Amino acid sequence: MARLFFLLIVISLSINLLFPSCQAQGSQKIVAFYNLENLFDTIDTPGVRDKEFTPEGKKNWNSARYAKKLQNISSVISAMANIEGMGSPAVIGLCEMENLEVLQDLVDSRLLSKYNYQIIHKDSPDKRGIDVALIYRPEYFNPDTFQSVPLLISNDEGRRIYSRDQLVVSGDLDGERFHFIVNHWPSRYGGKERSVPLRNEAALLSRFLVDSINAAEPNARIVLMGDLNDDPVDVSVKHHLKAGVVPRPAENDSLFNATASLFLDGQGTLCYRGVWNMFDQIIITPNLLKKENNTHHLVKTGVFDEAFLRQREGDYKGYPHRTYVGNWYHGGYSDHFPSYIILKKKGWLF
């Protein structure tokens, strides 16, 4: 046995010496989602309900607070580079920002400018003026197409409710084609049960987008992420989107909710009245669970809930340290923690 073990070591060393390029190669990347909690500029935009985020508004929003907000958000994204020492996320889905200009200010900030994040964004018809977006590091992801798909929903009187579009971005992630769908589903304003039909419709639209991508590109690699305003076990996610809490075979049309297990273990991305919710979810196609050469697969899911992101004292101790509670300025980061997945690609280079 000892002679066999010695022989294996000699063979391994010989291969590495004779064929140095014939070795296992691997790369890991973070894909994240973050609700920015109202990243607004200080300008009162006509036709948008953003008056409260102006110097004259109830929140007394001003240039100093805006600058502080940019510094805080950029510090969170920059700190995510410390996740297993992997570097800043390759792709990040974002929601609750007002426009392209605030996103540009964010990626141009002192902490993020070195990563050269690029932006994909389109204004949504949301009455408050908040949108979804995707930022990415061009050395890892090269997008070639994107579309912003409207969510067409109505109230009981048949009047359209203007919500956020769903953003679909497709392109090359380290040599492999990926599709990212970024969401911010309708809120629970007016009560969870009353607003359930709106999120069900959002889920059906997301499901339609997934099915459309798969019809055009069988076995497509899809990452759907967003603030869904529902938990992984809610009907919108589990039944209408068909995002299961356990892995299913790739031939099954069910998606896999990578963040569901965290929720079932008691974790969350936001806290309301002492109860943790996992609204900020990342959902993937089952083919991302397969460990095959030269393809990406899921190796980890997490919530970035470092101590500096938590409220340190008072009634909200342990909650996300947010920017505002009502109109009371806290000067924090966001009322949500970011969620993330780590994708690994492994193969043999000759």
Side-chain angles (χ1 to χ4, degrees):
M1 179 63 72
R3 292 181 63 186
L4 177 60
F5 180 70
F6 177 76
L7 180 61
L8 290 173
I9 291 176
V10 171
I11 293 172
S12 177
L13 289 173
S14 300
I15 290 174
N16 284 327
L17 289 172
L18 294 172
F19 305 101
S21 63
C22 179
Q23 355 177 356
Q25 301 291 317
S27 64
Q28 295 190 134
K29 297 166 197 69
I30 300 172
V31 175
F33 178 81
Y34 196 14
N35 181 320
L36 304 182
E37 191 203 353
N38 297 317
L39 178 57
F40 278 80
D41 59 27
T42 61
I43 302 168
D44 187 5
T45 305
V48 176
R49 297 174 185 170
D50 63 350
K51 179 70 175 180
E52 62 181 337
F53 286 98
T54 63
E56 298 77 26
K58 293 181 180 180
K59 287 182 165 55
N60 297 309
W61 190 240
N62 55 41
S63 296
R65 291 182 174 183
Y66 175 60
K68 175 68 171 175
K69 177 78 170 181
L70 290 172
Q71 178 184 345
N72 284 350
I73 295 298
S74 63
S75 71
V76 178
I77 295 173
S78 179
M80 293 183 76
N82 297 322
I83 298 174
E84 302 186 12
M86 292 180 53
S88 182
V91 175
I92 311 176
L94 301 171
C95 76
E96 283 203 15
M97 80 295 301
E98 184 179 12
N99 51 43
L100 177 60
E101 286 72 22
V102 299
L103 284 169
Q104 196 64 58
D105 287 343
L106 177 64
V107 300
D108 288 343
S109 63
R110 179 181 60 85
L111 291 174
L112 295 187
S113 59
K114 60 185 176 183
Y115 297 115
N116 192 30
Y117 276 112
Q118 303 298 299
I119 303 167
I120 297 178
H121 164 272
K122 185 178 179 182
D123 280 315
S124 289
D126 181 272
K127 291 296 186 181
R128 292 184 56 234
I130 54 174
D131 308 323
V132 297
L134 186 126
I135 62 174
Y136 63 93
R137 298 177 62 177
E139 67 265 41
Y140 299 128
F141 181 59
N142 179 28
D144 51 45
T145 61
F146 80 92
Q147 59 177 326
S148 191
V149 184
L151 175 62
L152 303 177
I153 50 177
S154 303
N155 61 18
D156 294 338
E157 289 76 39
R159 294 181 180 177
R160 182 179 174 186
I161 298 173
Y162 291 93
S163 187
R164 280 73 61 178
D165 292 352
Q166 297 189 13
L167 181 65
V168 183
V169 182
S170 304
D172 181 283
L173 180 69
D174 192 20
E176 192 170 13
R177 188 161 180 77
F178 266 77
H179 307 270
F180 296 98
I181 305 175
V182 187
N183 289 264
H184 187 187
W185 290 1
S187 74
R188 295 185 173 189
Y189 182 78
K192 176 185 175 181
E193 296 307 319
R194 182 179 178 182
S195 56
V196 161
L198 304 181
R199 287 186 297 283
N200 288 347
E201 289 297 322
L204 290 171
L205 175 58
S206 293
R207 184 70 230 188
F208 170 78
L209 295 174
V210 170
D211 291 341
S212 298
I213 293 170
N214 272 321
E217 186 181 319
N219 202 37
R221 307 177 90 73
I222 304 171
V223 177
L224 185 147
M225 53 185 165
D227 176 357
L228 308 187
N229 275 301
D230 267 336
D231 287 315
V233 296
D234 285 320
V235 64
S236 61
V237 181
K238 199 171 180 180
H239 296 290
H240 295 295
L241 182 57
K242 299 182 183 178
V245 299
V246 295
R248 297 290 180 88
E251 60 269 15
N252 190 292
D253 68 348
S254 291
L255 302 169
F256 173 62
N257 194 328
T259 41
S261 61
L262 302 178
F263 174 71
L264 296 175
D265 285 340
Q267 295 188 58
T269 54
L270 71 158
C271 193
Y272 180 68
R273 295 182 178 178
V275 177
W276 284 95
N277 295 105
M278 183 67 74
F279 287 178
D280 305 272
Q281 298 173 48
I282 301 181
I283 296 163
I284 61 177
T285 44
N287 52 13
L288 287 170
L289 299 173
K290 292 184 176 181
K291 299 180 181 179
E292 298 177 340
N293 282 349
N294 296 314
T295 62
H296 289 86
H297 64 275
L298 177 73
V299 294
K300 184 176 180 181
T301 308
V303 173
F304 192 68
D305 56 357
E306 297 294 303
F308 78 94
L309 289 174
R310 294 179 178 268
Q311 184 75 34
R312 297 180 182 177
E313 58 188 12
D315 294 339
Y316 300 101
K317 183 178 180 180
Y319 285 33
H321 185 197
R322 55 194 300 180
T323 307
Y324 281 95
V325 176
N327 292 323
W328 180 26
Y329 181 67
H330 273 211
Y333 303 85
S334 172
D335 53 351
H336 292 240
F337 294 138
S339 55
Y340 68 90
I341 59 173
I342 297 177
L343 296 174
K344 184 175 183 177
K345 182 180 181 181
K346 185 175 182 180
W348 289 88
L349 296 182
F350 294 88

